[in-house]
């Protein structure tokens, strides 16, 4: 069932409507009962993992993975509008819309835009099949927003790179068998010109490749990211994407994709959470309380605003523009990340003392976890402050802030 009963305010093209029909029929015929209503937890049990793997396989066979990639690379060449339609249809019957994670959304677009034909043949199919699972080694202790200050270095040794240094906040390291990372390959070149973008296997022939992950606990208690140390890790020179010392442009493609088109359908999850909270509040007999209603009204109205800005973004996509451009991407990132934070705060407030109680073994419930996790959403993928700078300078044309790192391109600024 749709999470928002309101009619769509945009007129879809004939081809978009027929695509919606195709997806709807396919889902009716192929979505098994085991995935209907399935919530993928942040730490799935082995049973849920198995269900997810089966569903991922079904989607792969139906060519419903990496759907935005061009057909020649195994995707379906779907437009942003069609991707949004697909998300809506999955949401309508409440089945998980699985993707190939960072491989699909961050590395794939960079390979498609900057790799050689041979590299595309070698690296794209294993992302679609799920054989290669990537994590992102960009941030360093002294280079987050100021990404080009990175110091992890690599030297050329015959036909390979030998990598040494440290990264941090490597999300999903525990699932990955590949890491895409930025390394300084020419210390004498200007800051943005001596960097290479390289795909590094985490093991080689089953043996460790000099990469050590030291897990960092998040507030939720889960170690979802790590410090990452490279000690003489190696990667073939053929794994450098975009050319040796020319990795910055490749990295910019990845960062542009990081904010991507998810804003077009983020509201689907927001409405789902809203109705969930309404149910909980009603069960507590608080639904007629004016103060409660005010907060719920804000939550609903803002989700509607996000829905409409999502449609606006869809229109941009339909006109052939990409959503990663400075204005759309940054303002959407600010809006949804701040909305998510506030939404979880409201839930904590409305659930009152219950929000403080944790389960046996100290498990968090969904809202407690949401509250803690969403603190970080205004940080990753470019902080809200950096996004505001981009909107101010690039969209509104305000004068640049005098800043100590003025020679750099802040993360997320493309
Ligand atoms: C949950 C989570 C997952 C992450 N996953 C990954 C991952 O998988 N791989 C990866 O490589 N990285 C990852 N990161 C790192 C993330 O991209 C960085 O944290 C982010 O880019 C900010 O960098 P920083 O932490 O070094 O902060 P800093 O750059 O040190 O910034 C500190 C503060 O200063 C502000 N600031 C900095 N520069 C400016 C400026 N020019 N103008 C105004 N304010 C400024 C920032 O907004 C921030 O508030 C993750 C982070 C989080 C929280």
């Amino acid at each position: 069932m749709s999470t928002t009963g309101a009619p769509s305010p945009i007129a879809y093209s004939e081809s978009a409507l027929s695509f919606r029909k195709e997806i709807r029929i396919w889902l009716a015929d192929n979505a098994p009962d085991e995935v209907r209503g399935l919530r993928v937890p942040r730490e799935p049990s082995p049973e849920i993992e198995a269900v997810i793997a089966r569903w991922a396989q079904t989607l792969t066979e139906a060519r419903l993975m990496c759907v935005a990639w061009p057909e020649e690379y195994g995707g379906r060449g779907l437009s942003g509008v069609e991707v949004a339609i697909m998300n809506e249809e999955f949401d309508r019957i409440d089945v998980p819309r699985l993707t190939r994670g960072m491989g699909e959304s961050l590395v794939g677009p960079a390979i498609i835009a900057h790799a050689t034909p041979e590299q595309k043949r070698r690296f794209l199919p294993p992302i679609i099949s799920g054989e290669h699972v990537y994590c992102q080694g960009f941030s360093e202790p002294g280079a987050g927003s100021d990404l080009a200050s990175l110091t992890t270095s690599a030297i050329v040794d015959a036909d390979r790179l030998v990598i040494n240094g440290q990264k941090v906040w490597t999300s999903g390291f525990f699932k990955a068998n590949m890491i895409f990372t930025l390394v300084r390959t020419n210390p004498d070149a200007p800051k943005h010109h001596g960097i290479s973008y390289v795909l590094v296997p985490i093991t080689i022939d089953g043996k460790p490749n000099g990469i050590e992950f030291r897990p960092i606990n998040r507030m939720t208690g889960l170690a979802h990211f790590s410090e990452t140390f490279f000690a003489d890790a190696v990667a073939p020179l053929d794994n450098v994407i975009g050319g040796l010392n020319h990795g910055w442009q490749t990295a910019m493609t990845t960062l542009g994709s990081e904010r991507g088109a998810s804003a077009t359908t983020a509201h689907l999850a927001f409405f789902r959470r809203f109705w969930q909270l309404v149910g909980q509040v009603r069960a507590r007999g608080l639904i007629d309380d004016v103060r409660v209603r005010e907060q719920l009204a804000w939550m609903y109205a803002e989700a509607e605003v996000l829905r409409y800005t999502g449609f606006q973004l869809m229109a941009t996509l339909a006109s052939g523009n990409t959503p990663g451009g400075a204005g759309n991407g940054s303002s959407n990132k600010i809006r949804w990340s701040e909305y998510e934070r506030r939404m979880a705060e409201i839930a904590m407030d409305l659930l009152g003392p219950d929000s403080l109680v944790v389960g046996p073994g100290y498990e968090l419930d969904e809202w407690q976890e949401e509250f803690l996790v969403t603190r970080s959403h205004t940080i990753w993928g470019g902080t809200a402050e950096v996004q505001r700078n981009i909107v101010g300078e690039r969209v509104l044309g305000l004068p640049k802030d005098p800043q100590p790192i003025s020679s750099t391109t802040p993360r997320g600024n493309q």
Side-chain angles (χ1 to χ4, degrees):
M1 214 194 106
S2 171
T3 44
T4 162
S8 166
I10 63 169
Y12 290 98
S13 67
E14 278 305 312
S15 75
L17 289 173
S18 85
F19 177 69
R20 187 185 290 284
K21 201 167 154 196
E22 178 196 328
I23 290 290
R24 194 170 290 189
I25 292 170
W26 185 87
L27 283 170
D29 292 346
N30 293 284
D33 286 345
E34 64 179 5
V35 297
R36 292 186 184 241
L38 177 73
R39 299 276 168 272
V40 182
R42 288 193 169 90
E43 279 211 338
S45 63
E47 293 75 34
I48 293 187
E49 287 275 22
V51 172
I52 295 166
R54 280 195 290 276
W55 182 225
Q57 186 58 27
T58 305
L59 294 173
T60 307
E61 283 162 14
R63 293 192 39 247
L64 288 173
M65 283 291 187
C66 304
V67 288
W69 294 7
E71 291 199 40
E72 60 185 305
Y73 303 125
R76 276 184 155 230
L78 294 191
S79 68
V81 173
E82 288 165 331
V83 173
I85 285 175
M86 191 172 148
N87 293 341
E88 285 171 2
E89 288 304 309
F90 276 58
D91 178 78
R92 201 179 58 81
I93 62 157
D94 199 9
V95 297
R97 163 77 162 91
L98 303 181
T99 69
R100 293 300 187 193
M102 294 189 197
E104 174 171 343
S105 60
L106 303 186
V107 187
I111 294 173
I112 289 165
H114 302 279
T116 63
E118 183 276 327
Q119 288 177 319
K120 289 176 186 172
R121 276 194 297 278
R122 200 152 43 95
F123 290 118
L124 294 174
I127 294 177
I128 296 177
S129 69
E131 186 193 334
H132 282 181
V133 179
Y134 282 89
C135 59
Q136 179 188 34
F138 275 18
S139 305
E140 297 189 4
S145 301
D146 183 13
L147 187 57
S149 293
L150 61 94
T151 59
T152 295
S153 67
I155 52 163
V156 177
D157 172 30
D159 60 354
R160 55 186 206 161
L161 280 180
V162 181
I163 304 166
N164 283 284
Q166 187 198 338
K167 300 287 173 177
V168 72
W169 316 127
T170 312
S171 300
F173 68 95
F174 50 94
K175 283 194 201 146
N177 55 15
M178 296 285 289
I179 179 165
F180 63 100
T181 191
L182 295 175
V183 292
R184 189 159 293 289
T185 36
N186 183 354
D188 302 322
K191 197 167 175 176
H192 297 87
H193 295 276
I195 293 172
S196 299
Y197 184 118
V198 60
L199 311 183
V200 189
I202 289 168
T203 58
I204 295 179
D205 297 330
K207 298 196 188 81
N209 180 24
I211 303 173
E212 187 194 347
F213 296 109
R214 293 188 198 157
I216 302 172
N217 271 335
R218 291 174 70 155
M219 282 192 287
T220 55
L222 304 179
H224 268 195
F225 47 35
S226 70
E227 295 179 292
T228 303
F229 295 85
F230 292 85
D232 289 336
V234 294
L237 267 181
D238 286 345
N239 286 18
V240 172
I241 308 294
L244 195 67
N245 300 324
H246 295 291
W248 190 247
Q249 282 315 313
T250 314
M252 288 301 104
T253 301
T254 288
L255 293 188
S257 305
E258 202 159 3
R259 291 194 299 273
S262 66
T264 52
T265 33
H267 64 275
L268 295 171
F270 298 154
F271 280 115
R272 184 177 297 289
R273 305 293 288 173
F274 170 79
W275 288 115
Q276 180 191 354
L277 186 60
V278 167
Q280 288 171 290
V281 168
R282 203 186 290 280
R284 283 167 173 73
L286 297 172
I287 199 72
D288 292 325
D289 182 316
V290 173
R291 196 187 61 94
V292 170
R293 292 178 83 86
E294 260 175 22
Q295 302 207 61
L296 289 173
W298 180 89
M299 211 169 144
Y300 187 88
E302 279 296 308
E304 273 294 355
V305 172
L306 284 156
R307 178 166 177 250
Y308 283 89
T309 49
F311 286 134
Q312 193 181 34
L313 191 55
M314 273 201 233
T316 311
L317 290 161
S319 68
N321 291 320
T322 59
N328 279 334
S330 295
S331 55
N332 272 292
K333 167 90 204 317
I334 295 166
R335 288 195 77 91
W336 68 250
S337 57
E338 293 188 347
Y339 176 75
E340 280 187 320
R341 286 178 63 126
R342 182 78 192 111
M343 175 178 75
E345 283 158 12
I346 290 176
M348 291 285 97
D349 190 23
L350 299 190
L351 298 176
D354 280 4
S355 63
L356 300 174
V357 179
V358 289
Y362 303 104
E363 296 96 5
L364 301 170
D365 71 14
E366 260 189 280
W367 279 116
Q368 290 166 332
E369 183 164 306
E370 184 95 359
F371 173 76
L372 294 176
V373 166
T374 51
R375 300 307 94 190
S376 68
H377 289 190
T378 47
I379 301 173
W380 62 256
T383 66
E385 292 83 0
V386 167
Q387 305 303 336
R388 282 196 163 80
N389 278 352
I390 293 170
V391 172
E393 291 167 14
R394 298 279 182 99
V395 183
L396 303 176
L398 299 175
K400 272 190 183 291
D401 234 3
Q403 46 185 286
I405 55 165
S406 57
S407 64
T408 69
T409 308
R411 185 177 199 138
N413 189 357
Q414 51 261 247

